[in-house]
Structure formats: structure tokens, C-alpha cells
């Protein structure tokens, strides 16, 4: 049980005693330590219901509250209950964490299955910085969910069956450079696609042949299918390299094409059950009514007022759409994988698609906890969408390469004596970590400005700062001449800096579960920064190796617990730690 949960239990017992009926209690961490560590507004809520004086009721609750060995309570303002945790309680809890592999994080997801749908780039198109957000946020959420005990299925729902294949097929047959395909398949496929796309502007005949190739592919033409398969393989190979560099893994790669043979039957079922109907030859899902229009994803407000905003699941020419595939995908994930939750980590512009999708699925009887986890854009220095100097989308692979290059320069300046191979592997860890942390420390919904200098600073709110904190702690242990056994020592919190560090260490188990409440890895990122700062204040105020026993062992144990928590926390963000920097 976390400290917060234990406080809630004890408070609930007191409320139950005061009310003479079973009661629950909510406790939250205070925003400001001057008001103690935790607080509850239970007395105020209850006093309002019972029309009594809140401060008097708060006193009555305190009189029934058993906080032995745990905390002191006081009444503040209009009737807040503030709790100050005793240093001895922090010491006892932190000591227990030393023996706990999970560092106090509860297995709150046990018994539930979650599908995390993230990254999902489109084949033969490069992954750009927009995909970076999905990949990094999605991977972190999958890691956190796994650590919380969920059964996690990471699924890369790649766009491998789009209309882009008409152009790619024509390009493959007329423009392909086999040598270029060999060295950089994604780049060559993209080039071919781009060239045909450009050439087809205003060339009706070319556009027609693209369409014809697409129709042949969809009808199962052997030659086109073979080319298509090769495109997918080549693209996957290119993507794998990027994922390897990012240390991102998937359990499945079930792309859009996987669902092809389920689509026709799905549309028939929607028609037969009246969930969809024909409209101008197309099959559409319309509003089912019963909701205010501003809350109905199948209605839209235009100049003339509220009008229908249907979701198309079959075009008049018989083609299927993104929504059709996503409905089939939901069915598969529920029936085959028994998913309780599906988390879609996809940019905000697709919000309407997901609102319609979730409602259509519910009408179809596919129930589960489906969430669209949206995010904003990445902006360049000019605060406009990030582009290269020539105006192209920035490619993820280039971002990663530049991050590592810049990290190498930072490392070379900080520690010029490192052997080249070691410096290179540290630069890789620091560079990739910096990019990830810059992403994950932001509120995912806000646009953020991409800045190399800011994300690589050794003394900012950055991954290198956290990695460096970890390395500093490790270097303390390298100075010892005998192995240190943290589990064998007693924790003594004698200085406020020690207590504060223990307080934060104990809070790790409370922070991690909150990440998946609203899908905010930035809560963990900010916690880790706070922890590192608390460590540095502690290290300045409290001599470690030079203090006498038993304080020396106690402080070493705090150091070790801090290092483990930093390492585990960064791991949940998908960020590695080096041994040296
Ligand atoms: N391929 C899509 C894109 O790049 C994202 C797919 C997201 N996942 C899903 N099930 N719709 O925009």
C-alpha cells in the first residue's frame, strides 16, 4: 500500500466512526510543502452535506483519527485536513523500498489487457517528426502499463494499404533505381512516390494509370501484389532500424492490409443491422440521435446550422476506408486478444475519426475502454511546423542522427579523455535520451518548440541532467573498497534534505500509476527532475563518504535508492543510463 493509500484508509476509518456509517476518503499530495505532505477536503465536503461547521467537524475527525507512527494532522483555512508525515515514517518506508524490486509501485493493472496502438507510419512514406511523438509517447505508455502489471500488446498498425500504392506501383515500374533501393529502400520508395505524385499534377493520363494499377492491386493481380509485398518488406526493414535505435519494440505489426478480407462482411453486417445505410451509393454511418448535437460526432455545425457528418465505410465505387479498417481492427482486438483497453496514440487532427469510431463500435456491441491519446505538433524555432530548410518534413532518422552527433560534442567537451568507442556509445544513449525526454516532459497536448540546445543542456530540465545525476551517484560507489549492502543498514533522516529525498523516493509508487490515468508521461518526467534536484541538495548538505557510521551507511543507502529510482523511472520513459559521462 502506498503512503497515500494508507492515509486514505486511516482517514476512512475515522470518517466511518464519526458518521456511524461506512465512508471513503480522498487524500491528495499538497502542492506546497508548507501545508504538509498530503491533504484532504473531506471535512468540508461532509460539513456542507450535513450543514455543520467544517472546522468543528474537522476537529471531530482528527479526534477519531489514528495516525500513530505515521503523521501529524492539523486543520487549515476553512477546514482542510493537512497531514505532515513523520521523518520516521519516511525512513521506514524508504527502507522497505530498498528490499522491493518494484520500488513501491503497485501492480494496479494486473488481470487486464491493453492494446497500445502507436507509431503506425505509412509504408513508402518516411516517418517524420509527427510520428516521433506517437512512437515515443506510445512506447513509454506501453512500458508503464507493463510495469503496472497490465498484459500489454504493442501493435504497429502501419498504413500498408492506401491509395498511395497506385503511384508507388507506377513509379516502381517506370522510375525505380535498383541501386538506390538497395542502399536506402525507404528513401528510394519515397522518391518514386514523390516524383509520380508531382508528375501527375495536371497529367490526367498518368493519374488514370495510377488508378488502374491500384484497382489491379486491389483485385489481387499477381505482379502488383508481389511488388506491394516487396515494398512492405523493404519499408519494414527501414523502420526496424529506426525502432532499434530508439529501443522501441512491438508485439505485432498488424497493418491495415491485415483486415482486408473482413471489410466486405463488416459493411454488410452494418447495413443488415441498420447501423449504416446507403447514401448516394456510399455506405455511411449517421447519427443515432439521442445526444445534443454538439456532443454528437455524426453532426457538424455549418453556416446553415447542424447537419449530418456521417462516417463513410464504403465508397460508391466499392472501395473501403480508414474507418472500415479501424472497425475491423477493434473487432479483432476484442475477439482475438480480449482487450479491455485500447489506447490509440495518434495526433489531435484525427480526433473526429476516433470519436466516430468509438461510437460506431459501441452501436455494434463492441465494448471496451477505448481512448484516443492525442498530441499537438512539434514546432521549429520560428514557431511554425517543423520543416527542413528546403521546406520538407523533417525525417525522424535525421533527427536521431543529429541528436547523437550533438551529444557527442557535449560529451567530448565534458570528458575529453574517454576512449572513442565508449564516448560513441555514451553519445548514443545521451542523444536519443535527450530527444525522448524533450518530448515526454511536455504536456502532450501542447505544441512544443524543438530546441537542440535546450534538450541537450547538462543543467536544464533534460535527460542529460538526469543521466548525469545517475552517473554521479554511481561514481560514489566506485570509490568504496568493499561492496555495499543497502538492505543491511538502517535509515536515519537527520537533516531536512535527507527527509525530503526520502519523501520523493517514497512517492515514486504514487506517481507511476497516475501516468495512465490521463496518459501523461510528463508527470513522471517532472517527478524525476524533482528527485534529481532533491538528490543534489542532499549531496551538498550531507557528506556521504566522510560521515561516520551509522550515518554513512544510511546516506549511501539513500544514494543507492535514488540511483535505482532514477534508472527505473528513465527506463519507463524509454531512456537508458550510461555508467560514465
Ligand atoms: N497510419 C496512420 C497515420 O499515419 C495512423 C494509424 C493510427 N492507428 C489507427 N488504428 N488508426 O496517420
Amino acid at each position: 500500500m502506498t503512503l497515500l493509500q494508507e492515509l486514505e484508509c486511516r482517514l476512512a476509518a475515522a470518517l466511518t466512526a464519526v458518521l456511524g456509517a461506512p465512508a471513503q476518503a480522498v487524500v491528495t499530495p499538497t502542492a506546497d510543502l508548507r501545508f504538509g505532505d498530503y491533504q484532504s477536503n473531506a471535512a468540508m465536503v461532509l460539513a456542507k452535506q450535513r450543514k455543520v461547521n467544517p472546522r468543528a467537524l474537522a476537529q471531530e475527525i482528527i479526534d477519531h483519527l489514528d495516525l500513530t507512527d505515521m503523521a501529524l494532522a492539523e486543520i487549515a483555512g476553512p477546514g482542510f485536513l493537512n497531514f505532515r508525515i513523520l521523518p520516521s515514517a519516511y525512513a521506514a518506508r524508504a527502507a522497505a523500498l530498498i528490499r522491493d524490486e518494484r520500488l513501491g509501485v503497485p501492480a494496479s493493472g494486473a488481470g487486464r489487457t491493453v492494446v497500445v496502438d502507436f507509431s503506425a507510419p505509412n509504408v513508402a512514406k518516411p516517418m517524420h517528426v509527427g510520428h516521433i511523438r506517437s512512437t515515443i509517447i506510445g512506447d513509454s505508455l506501453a512500458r508503464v502499463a507493463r510495469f503496472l502489471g497490465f498484459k500489454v500488446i504493442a501493435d504497429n498498425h502501419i498504413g500498408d494499404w492506401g491509395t498511395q500504392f497506385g503511384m508507388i506501383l507506377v513509379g516502381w515500374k517506370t522510375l525505380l533505381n535498383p541501386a538506390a533501393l538497395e542502399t536506402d529502400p525507404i528513401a528510394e520508395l519515397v522518391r518514386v512516390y514523390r516524383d509520380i505524385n508531382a508528375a501527375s499534377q495536371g497529367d490526367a493520363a498518368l493519374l488514370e494509370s495510377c488508378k488502374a494499377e491500384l484497382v489491379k492491386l486491389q483485385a489481387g493481380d499477381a505482379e502488383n501484389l508481389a511488388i506491394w509485398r516487396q515494398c512492405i518488406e523493404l519499408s519494414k526493414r527501414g523502420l526496424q532500424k529506426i525502432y532499434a535505435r530508439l529501443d522501441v519494440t512491438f508485439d505485432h505489426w498488424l497493418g491495415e492490409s491485415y483486415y482486408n478480407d473482413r471489410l466486405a462482411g463488416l459493411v454488410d453486417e452494418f447495413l443488415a443491422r441498420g447501423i449504416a445505410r446507403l447514401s448516394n451509393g456510399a455506405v455511411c454511418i449517421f447519427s443515432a440521435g439521442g445526444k445534443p448535437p454538439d456532443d454528437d460526432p455524426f453532426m457538424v455545425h455549418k453556416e446553415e446550422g447542424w447537419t449530418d457528418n456521417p462516417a463513410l465505410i464504403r465508397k460508391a465505387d466499392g472501395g473501403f476506408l480508414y474507418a472500415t479498417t479501424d472497425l475491423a481492427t477493434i473487432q479483432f482486438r476484442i475477439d482475438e486478444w480480449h482487450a479491455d483497453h485500447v489506447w490509440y496514440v495518434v495526433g489531435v487532427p484525427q480526433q473526429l475519426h476516433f470519436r466516430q469510431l468509438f461510437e460506431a463500435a459501441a452501436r455494434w456491441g463492441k465494448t471496451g475502454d477505448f481512448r484516443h491519446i492525442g498530441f499537438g505538433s512539434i514546432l521549429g524555432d520560428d514557431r511554425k511546423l517543423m520543416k527542413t530548410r528546403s521546406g520538407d518534413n523533417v525525417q525522424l532518422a535525421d533527427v536521431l542522427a543529429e541528436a547523437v552527433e550533438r551529444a557527442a560534442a557535449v560529451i567530448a567537451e565534458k570528458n575529453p579523455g574517454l576512449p572513442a568507442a565508449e564516448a560513441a556509445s555514451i553519445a548514443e544513449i545521451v542523444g536519443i535520451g535527450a530527444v525522448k525526454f524533450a518530448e515526454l516532459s511536455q504536456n502532450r497536448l501542447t505544441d512544443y518548440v524543438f530546441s537542440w540546445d535546450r534538450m541537450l543542456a547538462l543543467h536544464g530540465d533534460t535527460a542529460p541532467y538526469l543521466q548525469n545525476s545517475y552517473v554521479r551517484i554511481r561514481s560514489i560507489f566506485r570509490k568504496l573498497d568493499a561492496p555495499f549492502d543497502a538492505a543491511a543498514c538502517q535509515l536515519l533522516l537527520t537533516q531536512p534534505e535527507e527527509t525530503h529525498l526520502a519523501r520523493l523516493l517514497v512517492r515514486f509508487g504514487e506517481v507511476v500509476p497516475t501516468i495512465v490515468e490521463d496518459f501523461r508521461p510528463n508527470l513522471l518526467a517532472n517527478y524525476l527532475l524533482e528527485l534529481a534536484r532533491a538528490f543534489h541538495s542532499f549531496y551538498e548538505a550531507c557528506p556521504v563518504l566522510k560521515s561516520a557510521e551509522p550515518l554513512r551507511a544510511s546516506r549511501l543507502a539513500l544514494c543507492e535508492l535514488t540511483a535505482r529510482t532514477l534508472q527505473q523511472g528513465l527506463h519507463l520513459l524509454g531512456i537508458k543510463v550510461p555508467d560514465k559521462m
Side-chain angles (χ1 to χ4, degrees):
M1 215 192 291
T2 63
L3 198 47
L4 184 142
Q5 285 168 331
E6 187 168 347
L7 257 182
E8 285 184 335
C9 278
R10 296 203 191 188
L11 182 58
L15 291 175
T16 303
V18 170
L19 295 174
Q24 291 203 321
V26 178
V27 170
T28 52
T30 52
D32 185 334
L33 284 177
R34 281 175 303 173
F35 304 122
D37 299 275
Y38 295 93
Q39 68 176 24
S40 173
N41 63 0
M44 286 145 71
V45 174
L46 274 177
K48 204 166 176 192
Q49 285 167 11
R50 304 169 85 205
K51 302 200 170 51
V52 296
N53 178 318
R55 286 187 65 100
L57 185 64
Q59 187 56 53
E60 205 185 326
I61 294 170
I62 289 183
D63 293 342
H64 287 82
L65 190 55
D66 176 13
L67 292 176
T68 319
D69 293 338
M70 187 177 191
L72 300 173
E74 62 194 29
I75 304 168
F80 282 109
L81 292 166
N82 289 352
F83 303 104
R84 215 170 283 277
I85 304 298
L86 304 174
S88 58
Y90 276 132
R93 290 220 160 228
L97 294 184
I98 293 171
R99 281 168 220 100
D100 180 5
E101 290 233 302
R102 300 186 52 79
L103 292 165
V105 176
S108 53
R112 285 182 288 156
T113 299
V114 56
V115 175
V116 189
D117 179 323
F118 68 101
S119 195
N122 301 314
V123 168
K125 295 190 183 171
M127 248 204 193
H128 54 74
V129 277
H131 287 115
I132 198 178
R133 300 202 76 173
S134 173
T135 307
I136 293 174
I137 297 171
D139 176 58
S140 173
L141 292 174
R143 286 167 183 260
V144 171
R146 227 172 268 131
F147 193 56
L148 287 171
F150 286 88
K151 177 175 178 207
V152 174
I153 301 178
D155 186 14
N156 196 3
H157 188 77
I158 53 173
D160 58 1
W161 193 254
T163 46
Q164 78 257 37
F165 280 99
M167 293 190 179
I168 296 165
L169 283 163
V170 172
W172 182 286
K173 292 179 183 182
T174 59
L175 297 179
L176 200 67
N177 173 348
L181 191 69
E182 190 63 38
T183 41
D184 190 345
I186 295 192
E188 176 62 1
L189 287 176
V190 170
R191 179 191 72 85
V192 155
Y193 168 75
R194 273 216 194 117
D195 287 358
I196 295 288
N197 194 16
S200 65
Q201 311 286 327
D203 182 343
L206 183 57
L207 216 49
E208 269 317 303
S209 61
C210 292
K211 262 196 206 148
E213 293 294 349
L214 185 65
V215 170
K216 269 169 68 186
L217 172 69
Q218 289 170 342
D221 173 80
E223 186 196 3
N224 281 7
L225 268 179
I227 296 175
W228 170 76
R229 250 181 232 121
Q230 238 179 308
C231 288
I232 309 277
E233 272 323 302
L234 290 167
S235 282
K236 275 194 186 168
R237 222 183 289 159
L239 290 171
Q240 285 288 19
K241 269 196 211 154
I242 297 181
Y243 293 134
R245 193 161 204 191
L246 282 170
D247 191 22
V248 167
T249 53
F250 296 93
D251 301 294
H252 296 278
W253 288 60
L254 299 190
E256 294 178 9
S257 69
Y258 183 78
Y259 301 94
N260 278 350
D261 52 10
R262 298 163 191 256
L263 306 182
L266 183 151
V267 172
D268 289 342
E269 187 185 340
F270 270 59
L271 279 170
R273 290 179 46 184
I275 308 169
R277 61 181 153 86
L278 277 162
S279 169
N280 297 324
V283 179
C284 302
I285 304 172
F286 285 90
S287 168
K291 265 189 186 174
D294 53 356
D295 195 28
D296 187 332
F298 299 99
M299 300 298 285
V300 64
H301 194 76
K302 294 213 173 124
E303 270 163 38
E304 58 290 1
W306 288 101
T307 61
D308 283 320
N309 188 27
L312 253 65
I313 56 173
R314 193 176 72 202
K315 290 190 277 187
D317 67 8
F320 302 108
L321 298 104
Y322 187 48
T324 330
T325 316
D326 254 332
L327 282 166
T329 308
I330 284 197
Q331 178 181 39
F332 178 86
R333 288 171 176 171
I334 290 182
D335 294 353
E336 301 289 323
W337 287 342
H338 308 290
D340 301 295
H341 312 267
V342 185
W343 299 344
Y344 296 87
V345 188
V346 185
V348 165
Q350 294 193 29
Q351 189 181 26
L352 178 67
H353 166 73
F354 286 107
R355 286 177 63 217
Q356 292 188 328
L357 179 69
F358 300 162
E359 193 181 313
R363 274 152 72 181
W364 192 23
K366 305 292 168 204
T367 50
D369 173 45
F370 308 132
R371 304 292 185 95
H372 173 211
I373 301 166
F375 48 81
S377 320
I378 305 183
L379 308 178
D381 289 338
D382 54 0
R383 304 205 147 255
K384 297 207 186 95
L385 279 188
M386 193 160 136
K387 298 269 180 202
T388 62
R389 227 170 267 142
S390 58
D392 281 339
N393 282 330
V394 177
Q395 297 193 19
L396 178 50
D398 298 340
V399 172
L400 299 182
E402 185 164 352
V404 172
E405 219 172 275
R406 287 175 182 257
V410 174
I411 306 292
E413 196 186 319
K414 181 174 165 9
N415 196 346
L418 280 172
E422 200 179 351
S425 91
I426 296 171
E428 186 78 22
I429 293 175
V430 171
I432 303 292
V435 170
K436 288 191 176 188
F437 194 82
E439 169 66 55
L440 294 169
S441 55
Q442 305 290 322
N443 176 333
R444 65 183 157 82
L445 287 167
T446 50
D447 295 346
Y448 79 91
V449 177
F450 193 92
S451 155
W452 288 118
D453 293 336
R454 217 177 313 132
M455 71 174 74
L456 283 162
L458 282 171
H459 299 286
D461 291 349
T462 63
Y465 169 67
L466 295 173
Q467 289 165 326
N468 199 33
S469 307
Y470 173 84
V471 165
R472 271 182 77 178
I473 302 175
R474 281 282 160 254
S475 73
I476 301 172
F477 287 92
R478 270 200 290 273
K479 291 185 196 133
L480 300 180
D481 14 75
F484 173 70
D485 180 12
C489 61
Q490 206 201 337
L491 281 189
L492 306 165
L493 305 179
T494 60
Q495 301 296 318
E497 288 83 2
E498 289 172 301
T499 306
H500 187 52
L501 181 57
R503 166 190 288 124
L504 284 168
L505 289 167
V506 164
R507 208 160 271 186
F508 186 64
E510 290 172 11
V511 170
V512 175
T514 61
I515 300 167
V516 297
E517 279 170 16
D518 203 20
F519 310 107
R520 300 208 178 274
N522 59 321
L523 297 178
L524 175 58
N526 292 331
Y527 162 83
L528 292 173
L529 291 170
E530 216 183 322
L531 176 64
R533 278 185 226 117
F535 174 77
H536 290 292
S537 314
F538 154 81
Y539 200 55
E540 242 162 62
C542 307
V544 176
L545 294 178
K546 291 205 176 84
S547 53
E549 296 296 358
L551 208 48
R552 181 175 182 270
S554 166
R555 289 179 175 171
L556 275 170
L558 280 178
C559 289
E560 182 173 308
L561 196 53
T562 305
R564 274 176 60 205
T565 307
L566 282 173
Q567 181 173 25
Q568 179 63 50
L570 284 169
H571 174 78
L572 293 179
L573 298 177
I575 298 172
K576 294 182 186 165
V577 285
D579 286 327
K580 279 190 210 161
M581 252 173 100

mmCIF file of all heavy atoms in Angstrom, residues 104-117:
data_model
loop_
_atom_site.group_PDB
_atom_site.id
_atom_site.type_symbol
_atom_site.label_atom_id
_atom_site.label_comp_id
_atom_site.label_asym_id
_atom_site.label_seq_id
_atom_site.Cartn_x
_atom_site.Cartn_y
_atom_site.Cartn_z
ATOM 1 N N GLY A 104 7.998 0.117 -4.764
ATOM 2 C CA GLY A 104 6.746 0.616 -4.197
ATOM 3 C C GLY A 104 5.625 0.814 -5.200
ATOM 4 O O GLY A 104 4.551 1.297 -4.837
ATOM 5 N N VAL A 105 5.861 0.439 -6.460
ATOM 6 C CA VAL A 105 4.810 0.643 -7.469
ATOM 7 C C VAL A 105 3.814 -0.525 -7.421
ATOM 8 O O VAL A 105 4.207 -1.681 -7.566
ATOM 9 C CB VAL A 105 5.420 0.753 -8.886
ATOM 10 C CG1 VAL A 105 4.320 0.873 -9.935
ATOM 11 C CG2 VAL A 105 6.359 1.943 -8.950
ATOM 12 N N PRO A 106 2.543 -0.262 -7.188
ATOM 13 C CA PRO A 106 1.566 -1.343 -7.094
ATOM 14 C C PRO A 106 1.287 -1.965 -8.464
ATOM 15 O O PRO A 106 1.422 -1.302 -9.494
ATOM 16 C CB PRO A 106 0.310 -0.644 -6.564
ATOM 17 C CG PRO A 106 0.456 0.782 -6.957
ATOM 18 C CD PRO A 106 1.931 1.069 -7.004
ATOM 19 N N ALA A 107 0.872 -3.215 -8.469
ATOM 20 C CA ALA A 107 0.526 -3.894 -9.728
ATOM 21 C C ALA A 107 -0.947 -3.631 -10.024
ATOM 22 O O ALA A 107 -1.772 -4.542 -10.094
ATOM 23 C CB ALA A 107 0.815 -5.381 -9.625
ATOM 24 N N SER A 108 -1.266 -2.358 -10.240
ATOM 25 C CA SER A 108 -2.676 -1.981 -10.323
ATOM 26 C C SER A 108 -3.339 -2.398 -11.638
ATOM 27 O O SER A 108 -4.550 -2.316 -11.773
ATOM 28 C CB SER A 108 -2.817 -0.465 -10.116
ATOM 29 O OG SER A 108 -1.971 0.209 -11.018
ATOM 30 N N GLY A 109 -2.545 -2.842 -12.608
ATOM 31 C CA GLY A 109 -3.146 -3.240 -13.886
ATOM 32 C C GLY A 109 -3.318 -4.749 -14.018
ATOM 33 O O GLY A 109 -3.769 -5.224 -15.067
ATOM 34 N N ALA A 110 -2.968 -5.477 -12.982
ATOM 35 C CA ALA A 110 -2.977 -6.938 -13.088
ATOM 36 C C ALA A 110 -4.347 -7.451 -13.515
ATOM 37 O O ALA A 110 -5.376 -6.950 -13.068
ATOM 38 C CB ALA A 110 -2.581 -7.557 -11.750
ATOM 39 N N GLY A 111 -4.349 -8.437 -14.396
ATOM 40 C CA GLY A 111 -5.599 -9.052 -14.825
ATOM 41 C C GLY A 111 -6.268 -8.344 -15.986
ATOM 42 O O GLY A 111 -7.320 -8.775 -16.446
ATOM 43 N N ARG A 112 -5.662 -7.260 -16.464
ATOM 44 C CA ARG A 112 -6.299 -6.545 -17.584
ATOM 45 C C ARG A 112 -5.369 -6.493 -18.787
ATOM 46 O O ARG A 112 -4.158 -6.423 -18.652
ATOM 47 C CB ARG A 112 -6.683 -5.135 -17.143
ATOM 48 C CG ARG A 112 -7.915 -5.155 -16.245
ATOM 49 C CD ARG A 112 -8.323 -3.768 -15.843
ATOM 50 N NE ARG A 112 -7.397 -3.201 -14.886
ATOM 51 C CZ ARG A 112 -7.225 -1.894 -14.710
ATOM 52 N NH1 ARG A 112 -7.902 -1.047 -15.444
ATOM 53 N NH2 ARG A 112 -6.384 -1.453 -13.805
ATOM 54 N N THR A 113 -5.977 -6.516 -19.964
ATOM 55 C CA THR A 113 -5.217 -6.490 -21.210
ATOM 56 C C THR A 113 -5.410 -5.145 -21.897
ATOM 57 O O THR A 113 -6.535 -4.680 -22.052
ATOM 58 C CB THR A 113 -5.707 -7.608 -22.155
ATOM 59 O OG1 THR A 113 -5.487 -8.864 -21.507
ATOM 60 C CG2 THR A 113 -4.951 -7.585 -23.474
ATOM 61 N N VAL A 114 -4.298 -4.550 -22.289
ATOM 62 C CA VAL A 114 -4.397 -3.290 -23.014
ATOM 63 C C VAL A 114 -3.628 -3.403 -24.335
ATOM 64 O O VAL A 114 -2.505 -3.908 -24.370
ATOM 65 C CB VAL A 114 -3.885 -2.099 -22.163
ATOM 66 C CG1 VAL A 114 -2.459 -2.311 -21.676
ATOM 67 C CG2 VAL A 114 -3.958 -0.796 -22.952
ATOM 68 N N VAL A 115 -4.274 -2.960 -25.408
ATOM 69 C CA VAL A 115 -3.592 -2.854 -26.695
ATOM 70 C C VAL A 115 -3.133 -1.406 -26.842
ATOM 71 O O VAL A 115 -3.938 -0.489 -26.696
ATOM 72 C CB VAL A 115 -4.536 -3.209 -27.865
ATOM 73 C CG1 VAL A 115 -3.835 -2.970 -29.210
ATOM 74 C CG2 VAL A 115 -5.002 -4.651 -27.755
ATOM 75 N N VAL A 116 -1.851 -1.217 -27.066
ATOM 76 C CA VAL A 116 -1.359 0.137 -27.315
ATOM 77 C C VAL A 116 -1.051 0.237 -28.810
ATOM 78 O O VAL A 116 -0.220 -0.492 -29.340
ATOM 79 C CB VAL A 116 -0.119 0.472 -26.463
ATOM 80 C CG1 VAL A 116 0.222 1.950 -26.591
ATOM 81 C CG2 VAL A 116 -0.344 0.120 -24.999
ATOM 82 N N ASP A 117 -1.802 1.111 -29.469
ATOM 83 C CA ASP A 117 -1.709 1.313 -30.921
ATOM 84 C C ASP A 117 -0.909 2.594 -31.116
ATOM 85 O O ASP A 117 -1.411 3.685 -30.855
ATOM 86 C CB ASP A 117 -3.149 1.432 -31.454
ATOM 87 C CG ASP A 117 -3.240 1.672 -32.961
ATOM 88 O OD1 ASP A 117 -2.398 2.403 -33.516
ATOM 89 O OD2 ASP A 117 -4.204 1.160 -33.573
#
